[in-house]
Amino acid sequence: MPDLITITGIPELWSHTLGDPRIKIAVLDGSADMTRACFQGANFSQLRPYWQEEPEPIEPAYLEQWWKIEALEKEKAELKKTEEETNAEEEALKAKIEALKETIPKPILNRLGCDFHATHIASTIIGQHGSPAPGMAPGCTAINIPIDINGEGTEFISPLNLARAFNWAMEQGANIIHCAACHPTQSGLAHELIGRAVKQCQDNGILVVAPGGNNKGECWCVPAVLPNVLTVGALRDDGIPFKFSNWGGKYQEQGIMTFGENILGAQPGTDEPARKKGTSCAAPIITGVSALLMSLQLQRGEKPNAEAVRAAILNSAIPCDPQEVEEPERCLRGILNIPGAVRLLTGELLAAVAPSTFSPIQLAGSAEPFPQVLYSDEREAIVEESALTPVLLGAVTSAFPGNGELRSIAASHTGGEISSSEFAITPNTPTTAVTASIPSKLVYALGTLGYDFGTEARRDTFKQLMPAVEIEGVTVPANPYDARQMADYLEQNPSEAKALIWTLNQELTPVYAIEPKGSFGADVYEGLIQLLAAQLIAQESEDYIERMSLPGRLSDRTVELFSGQSVPVIEPRVTRGMYGWCVNSLVSAALDTLRDGMGDVSEEAVRRSLVSFLHRIYFDLRNLGKTARDRALNFAATNAFQAASTFAEAVARGMELDSIEVEKSPFCRLNSDCWDVKLKFFDSENSSRAKKVYRYTIDVADVMPVTLGKVRSWSVPN
């Protein structure tokens, strides 16, 4: 790829932002050379790993040997491109390379490889524009956390090192973690230390980006294969996936493709950049785009939302055309589509803004800032200062596979001049080449029911209409804040329920306002009144309600409560799926279904485990029920009957609950959205015993989720 600026949508995105310094990127790799010109003026720092001893500096003689190795590697790569290549010549070059490597101690050789890799990757992310190696997001903040500074070889992919690095990045307040390590796995399972560290980062709102690996097949790497990681595959300059770029498994759902050939980046010890290839070179492009999208969120007054950025990138991806790509499955989820991602994230077309409204973009070798140029009807059209020219959603370079006759923006930058390519697009002509998926607005949330008045006037109307109450023989005015009085009043006057702002609360904090809609709205209000009354009765009563589930659709509106807090509005249209329950009653009902098949298993032990499971979801894993993953998890708590059978078997084996995971199901029926809930159990008395995994599938495609199939189980290494 000639330059980053040739990626469709990058010039327009750069015209809006070069990155916000409040967006922090942690680069887990080797030790980058911080003295390079591309890092001068950048918000870039390095943290030396506290868990390793600081090594001696690398002697210049070894660096010279490395340069010779690099030159021979380049010569070997060029030889492969020529027809004159012979096995003898290639073997001779390999022998020279190996001989040079023998002159360098193994730890030094490993350190040099890691440091060159880290310097190249970091420059692609944060290299300053106008330097020899310009990067994707030069205005963001970056931290280099070397995984291995001693060159011990296996230390670079050590689970303990990786877990420490992830935890340290989280402590530093990273928004994005770029992990260059690729720990091979044939099973798709990761060491528990890495899995926990990555999940903890994701739970704290951090986006994890990782290369998919260059193992030439249907195989995977950790952390790229872990759930919710943004996995990156590599394209050749012609837009065809590299044969070495890994694919398959979870990569097909969470993998994105972008250019990974001839990527310009910095090198240690010199300011002369080098061009490299591989998924490791493609991944920093995605990291940079993610940082720019988060910067856009800040511009719009929003908080950086890692999951929203990840979903926008994946849902806007352009799938490969099987007629143009021999193995379209190598394209993973699809090819990076920046205009489409911006559209999904902001709801607006990506438009170039006037040069006077942003900091000049200047690339290496250019004396002038890069002007914003769009191409239409094969003619150049320079954007004037007041003009806004939209880039069509889904536009991609026509060299990309899978575009048919689609033409798009393409520019090449040479010596400060901008020349149009052979590809063109008419900006005002709609295209149906790409239909980006729209984020679901389904919600399945858990919580307790509450109500609010919004204003003093609304509160006083209730105070005026509600009858006085008698307390210990004394008649006192009605108190609208007394939930018992309100429940009694609404039972007698159900139409008054519409005058309240009903809320779903978590830990006494309103998270949603509830506004029933449609023909059955009155039934939903009646259900809310009953649930409110049931929350207020004695806990020992069979009718006591401790918690409720609320399925519905999220509207585009918010409501301001009396406290001044604004909460989003959910619009339930039917009572279907709106349940209320007490934990003890739910557990008892679940156990009743198993009583005949429990055998010698202690009912009290199963009850204790099931209560622990429900509380874990309610408190430790509580969520807003907006994402498909969270809806599946919440429904697992609502439908405790399948969990009960799982716990009965686990308790019979003398095991206890270790973790609860939800991941995209690899198999699903048509027009469904299936997720696997995985309960992992361990033996608290024998730590060497294999863990037991129980899995059942939940389809969340509808407002009301549903379980599919039977519970399956298997053992995994501890």
Side-chain angles (χ1 to χ4, degrees), residues 21-26 169 173-177 205-208 294 304 306:
R22 290 173 290 178
I23 299 301
K24 186 176 291 186
I25 307 163
N175 302 101
I176 303 172
I177 296 179
I206 300 173
L207 176 65
V208 179
M294 286 187 180

Side-chain angles (χ1 to χ4, degrees), residues 445-463:
L446 305 180
T448 56
L449 194 62
Y451 61 89
D452 197 275
F453 302 103
T455 64
E456 291 185 9
R458 181 62 57 84
R459 178 200 61 193
D460 290 343
T461 60
F462 277 91
K463 189 173 184 180

Side-chain angles (χ1 to χ4, degrees), residues 271-583:
D271 283 327
E272 180 181 349
R275 294 191 181 273
K276 301 288 185 180
K277 69 178 180 180
T279 58
S280 288
C281 298
I285 293 177
I286 299 299
T287 296
V289 169
S290 301
L292 294 176
L293 293 179
M294 286 187 180
S295 299
L296 276 185
Q297 289 179 316
L298 288 176
Q299 282 186 5
R300 295 166 57 84
E302 304 169 1
K303 292 183 178 179
N305 188 325
E307 183 57 30
V309 167
R310 174 180 171 273
I313 290 175
L314 291 177
N315 289 338
S316 62
I318 314 263
C320 285
D321 187 341
Q323 295 182 354
E324 299 182 24
V325 178
E326 183 180 351
E327 298 175 290
E329 60 270 19
R330 291 184 179 274
C331 278
L332 310 185
R333 183 74 171 262
I335 297 169
L336 174 66
N337 174 15
I338 294 175
V342 171
R343 176 65 181 272
L344 287 183
L345 192 67
T346 67
E348 301 173 0
L349 291 174
L350 176 60
V353 299
S356 60
T357 64
F358 65 95
S359 301
I361 300 173
Q362 185 171 318
L363 297 182
S366 172
E368 299 295 331
F370 173 71
Q372 300 304 304
V373 178
L374 302 180
Y375 300 102
S376 174
D377 298 330
E378 305 291 354
R379 301 187 303 273
E380 288 190 350
I382 301 179
V383 177
E384 297 181 359
E385 290 192 3
S386 61
L388 293 178
T389 307
V391 178
L392 292 177
L393 171 64
V396 293
T397 307
S398 65
F400 279 175
N403 296 340
E405 296 300 320
L406 178 65
R407 298 302 186 196
S408 183
I409 299 165
S412 59
H413 184 274
T414 53
E417 298 294 329
I418 301 298
S419 60
S420 65
S421 71
E422 61 180 312
F423 314 117
I425 190 168
T426 305
N428 295 321
T429 303
T431 178
T432 57
V434 178
T435 302
S437 58
I438 304 300
S440 170
K441 291 193 174 183
L442 297 180
V443 172
Y444 191 88
L446 305 180
T448 56
L449 194 62
Y451 61 89
D452 197 275
F453 302 103
T455 64
E456 291 185 9
R458 181 62 57 84
R459 178 200 61 193
D460 290 343
T461 60
F462 277 91
K463 189 173 184 180
Q464 178 178 281
L465 294 172
M466 291 172 64
V469 295
E470 187 174 305
I471 301 177
E472 296 181 356
V474 178
T475 301
V476 297
N479 179 10
Y481 290 108
D482 187 332
R484 287 183 174 82
Q485 293 184 39
M486 180 61 72
D488 292 339
Y489 175 69
L490 293 176
E491 186 178 359
Q492 299 299 321
N493 304 273
S495 62
E496 286 290 280
K498 294 183 179 180
L500 289 172
I501 300 175
W502 292 86
T503 61
L504 185 73
N505 304 337
Q506 290 184 353
E507 299 298 299
L508 303 180
T509 301
V511 293
Y512 291 118
I514 308 170
E515 288 190 10
K517 296 288 185 181
S519 304
F520 299 97
D523 295 336
V524 178
Y525 276 118
E526 183 180 350
L528 294 176
I529 295 172
Q530 294 175 358
L531 288 171
L532 178 64
Q535 284 182 178
L536 305 172
I537 61 180
Q539 293 188 15
E540 56 271 15
S541 171
E542 292 184 359
D543 296 327
Y544 169 68
I545 295 300
E546 180 180 357
R547 202 165 302 269
M548 69 168 291
S549 61
L550 180 67
R553 293 185 182 275
L554 193 63
S555 72
D556 296 325
R557 299 178 295 109
T558 60
V559 168
E560 184 173 332
L561 304 180
F562 189 74
S563 64
Q565 177 188 358
S566 292
V567 292
V569 176
I570 288 183
E571 297 178 346
R573 295 182 175 271
V574 293
T575 57
R576 189 165 177 256
M578 196 169 72
Y579 302 131
W581 67 87
C582 167
V583 169

Side-chain angles (χ1 to χ4, degrees), residues 139-151:
C140 291
T141 300
I143 306 171
N144 175 213
I145 302 179
I147 306 172
D148 174 25
I149 60 175
N150 292 317

Side-chain angles (χ1 to χ4, degrees), residues 222-278:
V222 174
V225 75
L226 294 177
N228 297 318
V229 172
L230 191 52
T231 307
V232 185
L235 297 172
R236 299 184 330 209
D237 283 348
D238 59 4
I240 302 297
F242 272 113
K243 290 290 186 181
F244 59 67
S245 186
N246 293 346
W247 57 280
K250 288 191 178 73
Y251 284 15
Q252 306 307 113
E253 293 294 330
Q254 62 190 42
I256 188 75
M257 302 293 291
T258 191
F259 290 113
E261 184 176 16
N262 291 317
I263 305 300
L264 190 72
Q267 303 181 89
T270 178
D271 283 327
E272 180 181 349
R275 294 191 181 273
K276 301 288 185 180
K277 69 178 180 180

